[in-house]
Amino acid sequence: LAVLLCAAASMTAHGLEVGDLAPDFELQGSDGQTHRLADYRGKTVVIAWFPKAYTRGCTIECKSLAENGSMIRAYQAAYFMASVDPIEDNVGFAEQQKADFPLLSDPSKQTARAYNVLGSSGLAARHTYYIGSNGRIVAIDKNIRPSTSAEDIAAKLAELDVPQVF
């Protein structure tokens, strides 16, 4: 039994990898909707995890996505920012930044744990997950540049051959 527990622990310690089935989630969005990964089957989904609303880097990243979201919307993809902040914080933050996309709240931290982004500080790491139309992870970006986040996501969608909207 101890060997099995150690094996299971080492498997989860590595986290998710490209090709893995993305963990499903059901999270409240700043748009007043509940978002489930399963509702987006057949479409590419981008989840940009961020540490904390109203902080410098997160504000820069959210502003990039709000001001340059048209670059992402040129692709057949749904995109979100997500954090472990309470929904009230993300609603206010989205309004302040004029975000025209949902910010997802995971105050229970279950989804952040499932995506292996929960840091020792209790905040989410700034990682972006790209989930293919089949529900499998097609890319994970751990080197986020907040100021060019929208451009970087659009470039990754092009690299992944995500169809464009015409």
Side-chain angles (χ1 to χ4, degrees):
L1 181 59
V3 171
L4 288 175
L5 289 175
C6 288
S10 69
M11 285 172 54
T12 58
H14 294 298
L16 295 171
E17 296 179 2
V18 170
D20 287 349
L21 198 57
D24 201 1
F25 59 80
E26 184 172 315
L27 299 173
Q28 281 189 287
S30 58
D31 59 355
Q33 304 294 312
T34 299
H35 296 271
R36 295 168 196 82
L37 180 59
D39 293 342
Y40 295 95
R41 288 291 165 139
K43 195 170 194 173
T44 299
V45 174
V46 179
I47 305 171
W49 286 93
F50 68 99
K52 189 156 184 58
Y54 303 105
T55 58
R56 186 177 182 278
C58 300
T59 298
I60 292 168
E61 183 176 12
C62 190
K63 191 176 292 284
S64 171
L65 294 176
E67 293 176 354
N68 301 301
S70 60
M71 297 174 77
I72 301 168
R73 288 190 299 277
Y75 294 89
Q76 293 177 23
Y79 66 102
F80 309 94
M81 286 182 74
S83 75
V84 297
D85 291 316
I87 187 63
E88 300 79 19
D89 288 0
N90 278 346
V91 167
F93 186 53
E95 288 172 1
Q96 181 190 65
Q97 298 308 314
K98 298 177 177 55
D100 56 356
F101 59 91
L103 276 65
L104 305 180
S105 290
D106 178 27
S108 74
K109 303 180 182 183
Q110 286 181 296
T111 303
R113 276 189 200 91
Y115 278 82
N116 201 39
V117 297
L118 191 62
S120 58
S121 65
L123 301 176
R126 192 182 311 279
H127 295 166
T128 299
Y129 280 80
Y130 297 82
I131 302 163
S133 57
N134 62 358
R136 296 206 172 269
I137 297 169
V138 294
I140 303 168
D141 187 356
K142 296 181 179 179
N143 298 308
I144 308 304
R145 297 178 304 174
S147 62
T148 59
S149 192
E151 295 92 331
D152 297 341
I153 288 171
K156 180 57 83 175
L157 291 172
E159 180 186 312
L160 294 169
D161 290 326
V162 173
Q164 287 194 298
V165 177
F166 294 102

